[in-house]
């Protein structure tokens, strides 16, 4: 039986690769894709999600638009990394598949209520606004979530959008606090892990050689890696979001620790910081499996194999 998941996303080239990896993998049944404002405004993320589904030959996928701004704050976007469209690289055709009429938050609630309790995994790879809103609107769904596997936060790497915070958590820290305190099983892929999933030359050329889908993916990484290579002086850029899907497919690629993670929502300097008790000094109960390391070669082997199936 494939594992049922909902991807909550703000594409974003690395989000797009995560969606492709999920759609290429028969172990996963993607029940729907819910979009949120993040890397770019909602009007672009929902169009980008549909473009990516069509690229994967999955015009039948249900794509929903959700919250267009954080719970309590003005939206911060990341065009400086992802480009004006959020999906700069090779221009994909405008999607012909429809956007679903339901709001993403209602789709999340209805699906979690309709499916057997404990059977649906959420994979948030953008700001956590939709997920937190669903939990607030329908608290009964919290106990029905099998697991949340999200990309966000950092410990040793500290921050990317500010010196102290990672983008997805910083954009909507109040939403992140709701999700981290909800009490459902939580797996966190922080920058400490995703900064190891680097787009080196051989890895990207292997993807490019796959054919049309691989060439689009390589055009995306060609675009956004310039920014990260300059910023970090690294030999490639981190492919953050697909780490979540890779974890669902091959958890043995990742190692981490069950620890307590709290979200800073009060300080101007450290807003959205994931205060991760890696050394377990706080005495606070663990609420997350916080990843610390990954097998990057194994990850790219998996990604290349799966994208080759599209
Ligand atoms: C996260 O922020 C976004 O720019 C990426 O898509 C990823 O989800 C990394 O900090
Ligand atoms: Ca993202």
């Amino acid at each position: 039986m494939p594992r049922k998941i909902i991807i909550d996303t703000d594409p974003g080239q690395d989000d797009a690769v995560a969606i492709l990896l999920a759609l290429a993998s028969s172990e996963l049944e993607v029940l729907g894709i819910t979009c949120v404002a993040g890397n770019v405004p909602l009007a672009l993320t929902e169009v980008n999600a549909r473009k990516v589904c069509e690229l994967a030959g999955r015009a039948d996928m249900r794509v929903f638009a959700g919250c267009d701004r954080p719970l309590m704050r003005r939206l911060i976007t990341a065009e400086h990394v992802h480009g004006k469209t959020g999906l700069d690289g090779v221009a994909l055709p405008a999607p012909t598949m429809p956007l679903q009429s339901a709001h993403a938050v209602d789709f999340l609630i209805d699906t979690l209520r309709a499916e057997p309790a404990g059977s649906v995994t959420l994979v948030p790879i953008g700001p956590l606004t939709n997920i937190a809103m669903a939990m607030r609107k329908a608290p009964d769904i919290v106990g029905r979530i099998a697991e949340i596997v999200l990309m966000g936060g950092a410990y040793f790497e500290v921050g990317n959008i500010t010196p102290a915070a990672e983008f997805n958590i910083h954009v909507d820290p109040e939403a992140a606090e709701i999700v981290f305190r909800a009490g459902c099983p939580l797996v966190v892929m922080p920058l400490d892990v995703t900064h190891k999933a680097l787009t080196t030359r051989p890895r990207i050329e292997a993807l490019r050689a796959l054919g049309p889908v691989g060439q689009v993916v390589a055009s995306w990484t060609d675009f956004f890696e310039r920014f990260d290579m300059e910023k970090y002086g690294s030999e490639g850029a981190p492919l953050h979001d697909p780490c979540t899907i890779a974890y669902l497919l091959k958890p043995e690629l990742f190692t981490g620790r069950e620890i307590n993670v709290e979200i800073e929502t009060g300080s101007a300097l450290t807003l959205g910081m994931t205060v991760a008790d890696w050394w377990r000094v706080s005495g606070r109960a663990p609420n997350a499996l916080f990843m610390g390391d990954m097998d990057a070669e194994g990850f790219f082997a998996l990604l290349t194999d799966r994208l080759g199936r599209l």
Side-chain angles (χ1 to χ4, degrees):
M1 281 288 281
R3 183 163 175 176
K4 294 174 182 174
I5 68 168
I6 298 172
I7 303 175
D8 187 73
T9 177
D10 62 337
Q13 293 91 346
D14 62 322
D15 299 75
V17 178
I19 294 169
L20 291 176
L21 178 58
L23 295 181
S25 298
S26 56
E27 302 94 322
L28 301 176
E29 180 186 355
V30 183
L31 299 178
I33 296 178
T34 53
C35 299
V36 69
N39 286 322
V40 286
L42 180 68
L44 289 169
T45 62
E46 64 87 353
V47 170
N48 291 344
R50 287 185 288 142
K51 286 180 179 173
V52 174
C53 291
E54 290 190 359
L55 176 67
R58 291 296 305 276
D60 61 307
M61 182 53 54
R62 292 183 297 170
V63 174
F64 301 82
C67 299
D68 66 357
R69 73 197 76 161
L71 296 183
M72 296 171 59
R73 297 174 188 274
R74 75 174 178 85
L75 177 65
I76 297 165
T77 53
E79 285 89 354
H80 61 292
V81 182
H82 300 276
K84 262 204 177 72
T85 67
L87 208 52
D88 281 22
V90 163
L92 295 174
T96 58
M97 64 186 279
L99 178 68
Q100 299 296 307
S101 56
H103 192 283
V105 170
D106 293 321
F107 170 73
L108 283 162
I109 294 169
D110 294 346
T111 306
L112 284 161
R113 284 176 175 166
E115 297 288 340
S119 69
V120 178
T121 294
L122 305 183
V123 187
I125 51 178
L128 289 159
T129 321
N130 285 341
I131 310 296
M133 193 69 112
M135 287 176 166
R136 272 292 152 93
K137 195 172 175 197
D140 58 287
I141 63 167
V142 172
R144 305 183 65 83
I145 298 169
E147 191 172 25
I148 298 179
V149 180
L150 67 84
M151 191 279 136
Y155 177 54
F156 291 102
E157 289 278 341
V158 194
N160 59 0
I161 189 73
T162 75
E166 181 279 331
F167 180 80
N168 289 340
I169 307 297
H170 178 73
V171 170
D172 199 343
E174 285 76 18
E177 182 175 54
I178 289 170
V179 172
F180 276 73
R181 290 192 172 171
C184 12
L186 184 60
V187 178
V188 179
M189 287 292 163
L191 296 179
D192 309 276
V193 172
T194 66
H195 277 192
K196 294 181 174 142
L198 282 184
T199 59
T200 62
R201 281 325 75 217
R203 291 168 179 170
I204 293 310
E205 293 321 316
L207 290 173
R208 206 188 308 272
L210 291 175
V213 173
Q215 283 160 16
V216 173
V217 170
S219 84
W220 290 335
T221 64
D222 287 348
F223 177 83
F224 76 75
E225 71 184 7
R226 278 179 296 218
F227 170 82
D228 282 326
M229 287 163 77
E230 197 175 309
K231 179 178 172 192
Y232 298 115
S234 53
E235 66 168 316
L239 211 43
H240 305 281
D241 292 338
C243 293
T244 55
I245 303 293
Y247 172 78
L248 294 176
L249 298 171
K250 276 196 161 196
E252 64 274 19
L253 293 176
F254 302 88
T255 54
R257 304 181 73 159
E258 296 275 356
I259 60 168
N260 178 271
V261 184
E262 300 288 336
I263 310 297
E264 177 57 60
T265 58
S267 153
L269 270 180
T270 59
L271 188 67
M273 184 175 193
T274 43
V275 181
D277 186 7
W278 186 259
W279 302 115
R280 300 189 179 113
V281 294
S282 69
R284 293 190 286 262
N287 60 348
L289 173 56
F290 194 86
M291 293 304 178
D293 203 0
M294 75 181 290
D295 168 1
E297 282 305 326
F299 166 78
F300 275 94
L302 174 71
L303 183 65
T304 309
D305 169 63
R306 296 307 168 93
L307 296 191
R309 301 180 187 185
L310 287 173

